[in-house]
Amino acid sequence: MLQRIKQFSVGLLMSVSALGYAAEAEPQFKVDQVAQLDGIPWGMTQVNSNTLLATILDGQLLRIDMQTGQYSEVSGLPKIARLGQGGLLDIALAPDFETSSWIYLTYAHPTKEGATTALARAKLNGNTLTDWQDLLVADASSSKGQHFGSRIAFDGNGHVFFSIGDRGERANAQDLSNHAGSILRLNLDGSVPADNPYVRHGNIRPEIWSFGHRNPQGLFFDQKTQLLWSNEHGPRGGDEINLIRVGANYGWPIVSFGKEYWAPIKVGEATSKEGMEDPKKVFIPSIAPSSLLIYRGELFDDWHGDFLSTALALRHLNNVRLKSGEVFETRFLEGLNERMRDVIETHDGSIIISTDSGKLLQVRPSNDY
């Protein structure tokens, strides 16, 4: 049986115009604890109505029974570097998983310099991974532990996207001779699509789809609109939601809304510049967004088409609505006081949130929502 840990409701405690967001008030949600894991569940995906897979940052892959909370370890992973923010990162089922059994993962791949972000796939056979394939070991190696990215998204047309941060070296994000600070696009087998924007440029990595990113830890392809979105960590202030366009430059570190960590000094030349894409939403102060989805389920009628992302620093579930050129933000579940790491929409329209304390929490509307 699921353990009911608390019921929450979210209302408008303060005006959006006053603070830029609406805060929570009375109970509207049921929050059930699905499981308590040992470690940080960095990424999740639902295999079937009763089974989740979750990556643990320290380098384990777990198969979880959603009814009992019991879990077992999946074998067959390669050596994974546990360096700073790097470890076993995202996980996603292939669009044809039911017939192919492929799952895709990103992880910190050990290198002589330290580690880099890699995209891989393997076949899931019970509690074992087989046919492991490193599809791309990124040219983003560093001894630093910052900004590995990395989320995975599919467009449903034979392509996979994944994100890589600047690895703690700001100049990387504007240097297209490496993969750092970029969102990459590959065919499902790891080959480079012929219509990638820089495939014919000899000095630019052909896998690059967009660049100028600091550390994108949310990535979502909306099948309804056929648009790719990301969110990413800014420095102090300046987290962003971006609409990802082919070949576009998102400006880091030339443009930013953030400030230096060591002083109240603005980062970059400006907050906007010709030839660089402006964000659709900026978070000041930083919430530290760590995942992203657009809700398309039916349980939360009022959320249809809204962005949901987890917040690490400000510890809440973040909702953003773009409507008629205006941006509305609401913060949910602040009362849990949990660093929220990942959010996924389940088959029944509920959502599951992972927290850095190891909890998997299933959220549904209360009866009066």
Side-chain angles (χ1 to χ4, degrees):
M1 297 294 292
L2 296 179
Q3 177 188 359
R4 176 65 47 78
I5 63 170
K6 202 162 185 181
Q7 289 193 5
F8 283 90
S9 170
V10 182
L12 303 184
L13 186 62
M14 302 177 184
S15 72
V16 174
S17 59
L19 292 181
Y21 66 91
E24 66 178 58
E26 303 174 10
Q28 290 181 346
F29 302 142
K30 294 186 296 184
V31 182
D32 298 311
Q33 184 165 312
V34 175
Q36 174 66 59
L37 308 180
D38 184 13
I40 296 174
W42 207 94
M44 299 180 289
T45 191
Q46 186 177 13
V47 178
N48 55 46
S49 60
N50 192 50
T51 306
L52 287 175
L53 293 174
T55 61
I56 302 299
L57 187 60
D58 283 343
Q60 297 84 43
L61 177 61
L62 303 181
R63 187 183 188 113
I64 301 143
D65 187 309
M66 295 172 62
Q67 294 300 314
T68 67
Q70 295 180 340
Y71 56 90
S72 54
E73 189 166 353
V74 178
S75 63
L77 291 170
K79 185 176 181 181
I80 295 168
R82 183 66 179 94
L83 177 65
Q85 297 167 0
L88 184 57
L89 302 173
D90 205 17
I91 183 169
L93 302 184
D96 62 350
F97 172 77
E98 290 187 1
T99 56
S100 71
S101 299
W102 287 117
I103 63 171
Y104 287 69
L105 302 105
T106 52
Y107 72 102
H109 187 285
T111 66
K112 290 187 295 184
E113 296 84 2
T116 186
T117 304
L119 174 74
R121 70 175 181 176
K123 291 190 175 183
L124 181 66
N125 183 9
N127 280 352
T128 304
L129 297 178
T130 63
D131 301 322
W132 184 276
Q133 300 176 6
D134 281 329
L135 300 180
L136 180 65
V137 178
D139 180 9
S141 186
S142 173
S143 61
K144 293 187 174 183
Q146 301 103 303
H147 303 175
F148 287 84
S150 170
R151 295 288 177 187
I152 301 167
F154 300 98
D155 65 3
N157 294 308
H159 306 114
V160 56
F161 299 90
F162 76 107
S163 58
I164 304 177
D166 67 7
R167 298 305 325 284
E169 295 288 347
R170 293 178 178 179
N172 277 340
Q174 295 295 320
D175 181 359
L176 277 67
S177 68
N178 65 60
H179 292 121
S182 301
I183 293 172
L184 309 183
R185 178 182 184 246
L186 300 173
N187 294 318
L188 294 181
D189 64 0
S191 60
V192 178
D195 59 347
N196 269 12
Y198 301 112
V199 75
R200 294 180 178 84
H201 293 258
N203 296 324
I204 298 177
R205 293 291 183 171
E207 299 86 0
I208 292 175
W209 186 254
S210 65
F211 64 101
H213 300 284
R214 183 173 182 267
N215 190 27
Q217 284 194 344
L219 194 65
F220 187 83
F221 189 90
D222 187 10
Q223 296 294 335
K224 182 173 181 178
T225 62
Q226 294 291 293
L227 296 175
L228 180 67
W229 296 86
S230 79
N231 61 15
E232 62 185 270
H233 296 268
R236 256 188 336 135
D239 298 339
E240 300 175 354
I241 296 177
N242 286 301
L243 173 60
I244 303 303
R245 303 183 189 278
V246 55
N249 181 356
Y250 289 82
W252 177 256
I254 298 169
V255 298
S256 173
F257 286 82
K259 296 180 180 180
E260 299 288 359
Y261 288 104
W262 48 270
I265 299 171
K266 292 182 179 180
V267 175
E269 302 172 7
T271 57
S272 184
K273 191 170 184 178
E274 185 177 356
M276 297 179 180
E277 294 289 319
D278 291 334
K280 300 301 181 183
K281 163 67 178 174
V282 177
F283 296 92
I284 301 174
S286 293
I287 67 168
S290 52
S291 61
L292 181 70
L293 65 82
I294 295 175
Y295 185 77
R296 294 296 182 189
E298 298 180 358
L299 278 186
F300 299 93
D301 291 339
D302 191 48
W303 287 1
H304 194 75
D306 291 357
F307 295 95
L308 297 178
S309 61
T310 43
L312 295 169
L314 294 194
R315 300 181 179 226
H316 65 271
L317 177 68
N318 193 267
N319 175 295
V320 168
R321 179 174 299 169
L322 305 180
K323 185 177 180 180
S324 303
E326 294 187 271
V327 181
F328 302 89
E329 179 190 359
T330 310
R331 298 179 182 180
F332 299 141
L333 304 180
E334 291 175 298
L336 286 175
N337 193 30
E338 293 274 3
R339 283 173 56 88
M340 297 186 182
R341 177 65 61 172
D342 192 20
V343 59
I344 61 171
E345 181 184 324
T346 69
H347 298 169
D348 68 4
S350 64
I351 63 170
I352 294 182
I353 296 168
S354 70
T355 74
D356 278 9
S357 64
K359 294 182 180 68
L360 301 187
L361 305 175
Q362 189 164 23
V363 182
R364 296 185 177 92
S366 64
N367 292 333
D368 58 352
Y369 182 76

